[in-house]
Amino acid sequence: MPGRQFWIGLSITLLFPMCVHYIANAIHPYPEFHQRARAYVRLAPSSAEEWKAQEERDQAEYQWQQDLIDIATQPFFRILIWIATPLGIAAIFVGSYLGIGSVGTGLMLGGILTVADAYWGYWNHLNMPVRLASALAGLGLLIFLWRRHLVARSDAT
């Protein structure tokens, strides 16, 4: 019996963030990226300065590609943060009030993973006050739930 409850909780923990992610993807699809391989031949630079210049050009091209990917994915992650944050917080609260241990634990962990997934892709684009407010709100929520759990445990004894 405990094994079954573990797997139920783990399943909810994994499936809840996936479902929220797919909801955001249905509203604003994540952009598709096609990989292209190119092969070219170039003469090896003959001096240290030429090697350094070539490395700088390669690094600049790589950074340019990463910047394009970042610009293309920002709208998806913006939608994800607006959808996943309230749903994740709601799942954390509902899970903390449920009497069924495996389902409550699964919802709480799934809610935490959902909020983390939302902030993961968009964190660098938030300004510092929003980052601080988000981190403090998350910490406050977890302290509230911890205190609630302690009070519920002391009332039970």
Side-chain angles (χ1 to χ4, degrees):
M1 193 65 118
R4 184 182 320 167
Q5 297 217 352
F6 169 78
W7 290 112
I8 289 171
L10 181 64
S11 298
I12 292 171
T13 299
L14 297 175
L15 289 174
F16 185 78
M18 286 173 54
C19 289
V20 172
H21 198 89
Y22 290 135
I23 289 169
N25 198 37
I27 293 171
H28 191 289
Y30 189 81
E32 284 188 34
F33 298 104
H34 301 283
Q35 297 291 330
R36 249 189 264 147
R38 332 182 256 200
Y40 56 92
V41 177
R42 67 175 178 218
L43 297 174
S46 58
S47 67
E49 293 83 22
E50 289 178 6
W51 275 105
K52 185 173 182 179
Q54 183 61 44
E55 287 177 5
E56 288 174 358
R57 282 192 300 271
D58 290 345
Q59 182 62 30
E61 182 179 348
Y62 175 77
Q63 188 60 48
W64 175 72
Q65 291 172 354
Q66 292 304 309
D67 290 344
L68 288 178
I69 290 171
D70 191 43
I71 290 168
T73 58
Q74 276 185 25
F76 169 77
F77 285 117
R78 188 176 306 117
I79 293 292
L80 181 64
I81 210 168
W82 282 104
I83 292 170
T85 302
L87 288 177
I89 291 171
I92 293 169
F93 272 114
V94 169
S96 71
Y97 284 99
L98 278 182
I100 306 167
S102 61
V103 175
T105 302
L107 278 174
M108 287 177 64
L109 290 175
I112 290 169
L113 289 177
T114 300
V115 173
D117 178 42
Y119 278 91
W120 186 266
Y122 202 66
W123 188 258
N124 291 336
H125 302 290
L126 295 173
N127 57 20
M128 196 55 71
V130 175
R131 287 184 194 181
L132 177 62
S134 298
L136 289 174
L139 181 63
L141 174 64
L142 293 176
I143 290 172
F144 168 77
L145 293 174
W146 171 71
R147 290 256 316 138
R148 188 187 156 284
H149 178 70
L150 287 179
V151 169
R153 189 186 305 173
S154 67
D155 288 346
T157 56

